């Protein structure tokens, strides 16, 4: 009964490919996020969706496109993958977009671009 | 310069001992401060969330303190266990846009 589930857990792909990472939460939260954790372990916000509406879109290349078919899902599609995209990507959700409530994170997707 | 600085970067302690992790922040205006535990290969899990008016909050063997005047927080782990080996991340939220700022984390290794 995983609260925030991401798939796949590991993804190894070649430069130039297009890939997607899926995220689903069963907590009834109305806000979902994508974070990137780099090699120095910093977690950086990429996108935030509240009730299927984009509310945060940090400076990420437009090769990254989030898609939210409903408020329980927030998928991350990446076009033309580059070596620098290698990182661990975390999906998270919270009850409101105020950010006060605790975030629940998924287990992460380790993306390796070769 | 990151708005949330944690120290030490890493530490090793013997099982049963106590340790204290530090977090200094410059995030303003302040909303709340959270401590997360991240096990290797897993996502961060919330330990505590503290608002401006809270000085101390405990969660089992974890005790967090907050001094909003000096913009410092600490996480104290009492009677450490092997399962405490993880990265501990300090996260501060702004009150105007609730944007989170993450520290780089402190990696704790507990040895038998």
């Amino acid at each position: 009964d995983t609260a925030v589930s991401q798939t796949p857990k590991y993804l190894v792909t070649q430069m130039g490919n297009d890939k997607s990472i899926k995220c689903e939460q069963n907590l009834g939260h109305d806000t979902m996020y994508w974070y990137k954790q780099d090699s120095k372990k910093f977690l950086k916000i990429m996108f935030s969706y509240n009730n299927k509406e984009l509310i945060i879109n940090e400076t990420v290349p437009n090769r990254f496109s989030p898609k939210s078919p409903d408020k329980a899902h927030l998928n991350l599609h990446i076009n033309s993958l580059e070596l620098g995209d290698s990182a661990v990507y975390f999906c998270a959700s919270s009850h409101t977009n105020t950010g006060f409530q605790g975030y629940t994170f998924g287990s992460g997707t380790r993306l390796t671009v070769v | 310069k990151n708005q949330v600085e944690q120290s030490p970067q890493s530490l090793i302690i013997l099982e049963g001992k106590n340790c204290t992790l530090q977090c200094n922040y410059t995030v303003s205006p302040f909303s709340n401060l959270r401590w997360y535990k991240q096990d290797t290969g897993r996502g961060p899990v919330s330990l505590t969330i503290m608002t401006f008016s809270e000085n101390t909050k405990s969660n089992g063997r974890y005790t967090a303190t907050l001094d909003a005047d000096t913009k410092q927080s600490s996480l104290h782990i009492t009677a450490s266990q092997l399962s405490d080996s993880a990265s501990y991340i300090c996260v501060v939220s702004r009150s105007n846009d609730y944007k989170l700022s993450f520290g780089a984390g402190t990696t704790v290794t507990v040895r038998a």
Side-chain angles (χ1 to χ4, degrees):
Chain A
D1 253 8
T2 306
V4 179
S5 60
Q6 298 178 226
T7 54
K9 188 169 176 63
Y10 300 97
L11 181 56
V12 180
T13 187
Q14 290 186 328
M15 281 175 52
N17 284 349
D18 303 339
K19 291 293 179 184
S20 291
I21 307 172
K22 296 184 177 181
C23 179
E24 175 182 6
Q25 55 95 4
N26 61 5
L27 298 166
H29 288 166
D30 55 12
T31 305
M32 296 185 71
Y33 313 82
W34 275 107
Y35 282 86
K36 179 181 180 180
Q37 188 172 43
D38 60 23
S39 58
K40 295 184 178 180
K41 298 295 184 75
F42 279 108
L43 274 160
K44 295 180 181 178
I45 182 75
M46 299 176 68
F47 302 101
S48 171
Y49 267 74
N50 176 255
N51 282 319
K52 295 172 54 181
E53 181 181 344
L54 180 66
I55 57 173
I56 294 177
N57 182 1
E58 292 296 307
T59 306
V60 298
N62 57 14
R63 298 180 295 103
F64 291 79
S65 54
K67 287 183 171 43
S68 181
D70 54 60
K71 70 176 188 177
H73 296 82
L74 181 62
N75 303 323
L76 183 65
H77 189 75
I78 314 170
N79 290 328
S80 304
L81 279 156
E82 300 177 357
L83 294 177
D85 297 333
S86 295
V88 181
Y89 293 84
F90 286 98
C91 177
S93 70
S94 69
H95 199 63
T96 67
N97 65 349
T98 66
F100 177 73
Q101 300 296 328
Y103 281 40
T104 302
F105 283 84
S107 295
T109 296
R110 181 173 292 277
L111 171 65
T112 304
V113 182
V114 298
Chain B
K1 185 171 166 59
N2 197 38
Q3 294 188 73
V4 180
E5 298 285 346
Q6 292 187 242
S7 61
Q9 187 175 10
S10 62
L11 65 92
I12 300 172
I13 58 173
L14 292 177
E15 190 177 13
K17 298 297 185 182
N18 304 335
C19 68
T20 300
L21 317 180
Q22 299 291 342
C23 174
N24 296 339
Y25 63 92
T26 58
V27 174
S28 181
F30 175 83
S31 174
N32 59 76
L33 183 145
R34 313 143 186 253
W35 282 95
Y36 282 85
K37 178 187 178 187
Q38 185 176 12
D39 292 310
T40 301
R42 304 299 300 271
V45 174
S46 180
L47 294 176
T48 64
I49 300 176
M50 302 178 70
T51 60
F52 186 89
S53 59
E54 296 175 298
N55 299 120
T56 303
K57 185 170 276 191
S58 292
N59 178 359
R61 294 178 296 101
Y62 299 103
T63 299
T65 66
L66 173 65
D67 185 335
D69 292 331
T70 61
K71 298 187 176 181
Q72 296 179 327
S73 175
S74 67
L75 180 69
H76 187 76
I77 305 175
T78 304
S80 60
Q81 300 177 358
L82 297 178
S83 60
D84 292 331
S85 295
S87 181
Y88 292 84
I89 304 171
C90 176
V91 185
V92 182
S93 174
R94 285 201 304 226
S95 61
N96 50 355
D97 59 7
Y98 301 103
K99 185 174 181 178
L100 300 185
S101 294
F102 289 77
T106 294
T107 301
V108 174
T109 303
V110 181
R111 291 193 173 155

